Amino acid sequence: MKTIIFDKNDYKSFKDFYKDIFIKLDGPHTNDFKDYTDLNCSADMLFEFLYYKEDENVKYILKNFDLKAIKTEKPYENYMLNLIVKVFEDFVKEYPNNKLEFVNDK
């Protein structure tokens, strides 16, 4: 199983997170997504993009995401991060050959 780590500390905003997802999942070489760089920062587009990757058996690790803060959905940044987290959670439920793990630095 391939492992891809997304570390919250690497991002200044949710937009950087979208860009990193696109890059790490080889978006520039994925049919129908070649012209994008950040999935238009859209949760719907993210889910559609992940659908193209559903058979790759990936373990997604979301590192240093404060889920309690994100789930409050305030401020706007947390709201947008929560949408991304929900997409990953829904995706791994629908495609259980993929996994999602949350870890934090100690």
Side-chain angles (χ1 to χ4, degrees), residues 68-100:
K68 186 175 179 181
I70 290 170
K71 300 271 183 200
T72 65
E73 298 188 350
K74 293 184 182 181
Y76 183 73
E77 181 73 20
N78 284 350
Y79 171 77
M80 295 304 290
L81 289 172
N82 190 39
L83 290 177
I84 297 169
V85 169
K86 284 180 181 179
V87 167
F88 274 105
E89 289 172 336
D90 291 347
F91 177 74
V92 299
K93 283 180 190 172
E94 191 166 334
Y95 302 102
N97 58 307
N98 296 282
K99 304 294 179 209
L100 178 63

Side-chain angles (χ1 to χ4, degrees), residues 18-33:
Y18 273 109
K19 287 177 187 175
D20 196 37
I21 293 168
F22 189 73
I23 291 166
K24 287 183 177 174
L25 294 177
D26 198 27
H29 298 104
T30 303
N31 288 339
D32 297 333
F33 291 93

Side-chain angles (χ1 to χ4, degrees), residues 31-105:
N31 288 339
D32 297 333
F33 291 93
K34 293 177 183 178
D35 296 330
Y36 296 95
T37 58
D38 60 6
L39 301 170
N40 289 343
C41 295
S42 164
D44 290 335
M45 189 169 280
L46 172 59
F47 191 85
E48 183 178 340
F49 178 66
L50 289 175
Y51 174 76
Y52 279 70
K53 309 296 181 177
E54 61 95 8
D55 62 346
E56 293 185 10
N57 301 320
V58 177
K59 180 178 183 179
Y60 300 101
I61 297 177
L62 300 183
K63 185 176 178 183
N64 296 316
F65 285 81
D66 183 353
L67 292 178
K68 186 175 179 181
I70 290 170
K71 300 271 183 200
T72 65
E73 298 188 350
K74 293 184 182 181
Y76 183 73
E77 181 73 20
N78 284 350
Y79 171 77
M80 295 304 290
L81 289 172
N82 190 39
L83 290 177
I84 297 169
V85 169
K86 284 180 181 179
V87 167
F88 274 105
E89 289 172 336
D90 291 347
F91 177 74
V92 299
K93 283 180 190 172
E94 191 166 334
Y95 302 102
N97 58 307
N98 296 282
K99 304 294 179 209
L100 178 63
E101 184 178 329
F102 297 94
V103 298
N104 291 303
D105 288 337

